[in-house]
């Protein structure tokens, strides 16, 4: 999947599109840094210090961009964000649930990161490939 996503991004870039990528992993870990390489594979260290799945390294090399820790979404990061928002009172006393709060957090994260400039020209990407 990662090589297919990277290759698709390269083809789109070659025909003139600005491309970015997001990897979504279902595990509850915040990042890949503490995961066993025997179970998960090697960790890729991003320019901002984020520890992510090696697929993000492939994305960077294939589509010639610099990605950050926010380009790797995990269930753990989403739950952490939702719980932090609840603790800060952002849900105004509502019962926090998977639907709609977790689903909204995922959508907000993707929409924000998909628009984040990641190339030297500083322009917003045209396309975001999500694996």
């Amino acid at each position: 999947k990662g090589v297919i996503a990277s290759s698709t991004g390269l083809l789109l870039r070659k025909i003139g599109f600005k491309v970015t990528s997001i990897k979504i992993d279902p595990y509850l870990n915040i990042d890949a840094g503490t995961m066993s390489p025997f179970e998960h594979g090697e960790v890729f260290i991003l320019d901002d210090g984020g520890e992510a799945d090696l697929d993000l390294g492939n994305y960077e090399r294939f589509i010639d961009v610099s990605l950050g820790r926010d380009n790797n979404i995990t269930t753990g990061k989403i739950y952490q964000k939702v719980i932090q928002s609840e603790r800060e009172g952002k849900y105004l006393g509502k019962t926090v649930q998977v639907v709609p709060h977790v689903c909204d957090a995922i959508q907000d994260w993707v929409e924000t990161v998909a628009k984040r400039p990641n190339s030297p020209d500083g322009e917003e990407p045209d396309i975001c490939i999500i694996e």
Side-chain angles (χ1 to χ4, degrees):
K1 298 177 308 216
V3 173
I4 297 293
S6 299
S7 299
T8 302
L10 175 62
L11 293 171
L12 290 167
R13 191 174 66 82
K14 290 292 185 185
I15 60 172
F17 289 103
K18 292 175 218 55
V19 181
T20 191
S21 292
I22 296 174
K23 169 82 186 250
I24 302 177
D25 286 308
Y27 46 78
L28 288 173
N29 302 65
I30 300 299
D31 60 37
T34 59
M35 296 175 73
S36 168
F38 297 110
E39 291 179 23
H40 185 73
E42 294 184 36
V43 173
F44 185 77
I45 307 300
L46 301 158
D47 288 342
D48 67 359
E51 299 172 330
D53 190 290
L54 195 55
D55 285 328
L56 271 79
N58 289 334
Y59 302 159
E60 283 194 345
R61 287 186 288 276
F62 277 64
I63 62 176
D64 194 28
V65 294
S66 179
L67 303 175
R69 68 182 76 230
D70 289 345
N71 291 84
N72 182 220
I73 303 173
T74 66
T75 302
K77 285 181 181 178
I78 295 297
Y79 274 70
Q80 183 181 47
K81 180 178 171 66
V82 170
I83 291 168
Q84 181 180 359
S85 294
E86 184 273 331
R87 296 282 75 200
E88 293 171 357
K90 292 183 180 177
Y91 298 119
L92 302 173
K94 293 181 181 172
T95 301
V96 180
Q97 301 181 61
V98 172
V99 178
H101 302 101
V102 171
C103 295
D104 289 348
I106 294 168
Q107 290 173 348
D108 292 345
W109 194 306
V110 168
E111 289 173 3
T112 300
V113 174
K115 295 176 183 175
R116 187 174 295 158
N118 60 5
S119 59
D121 65 12
E123 293 184 24
E124 186 176 300
D126 300 309
I127 297 171
C128 179
I129 296 174
I130 301 173
E131 179 193 345

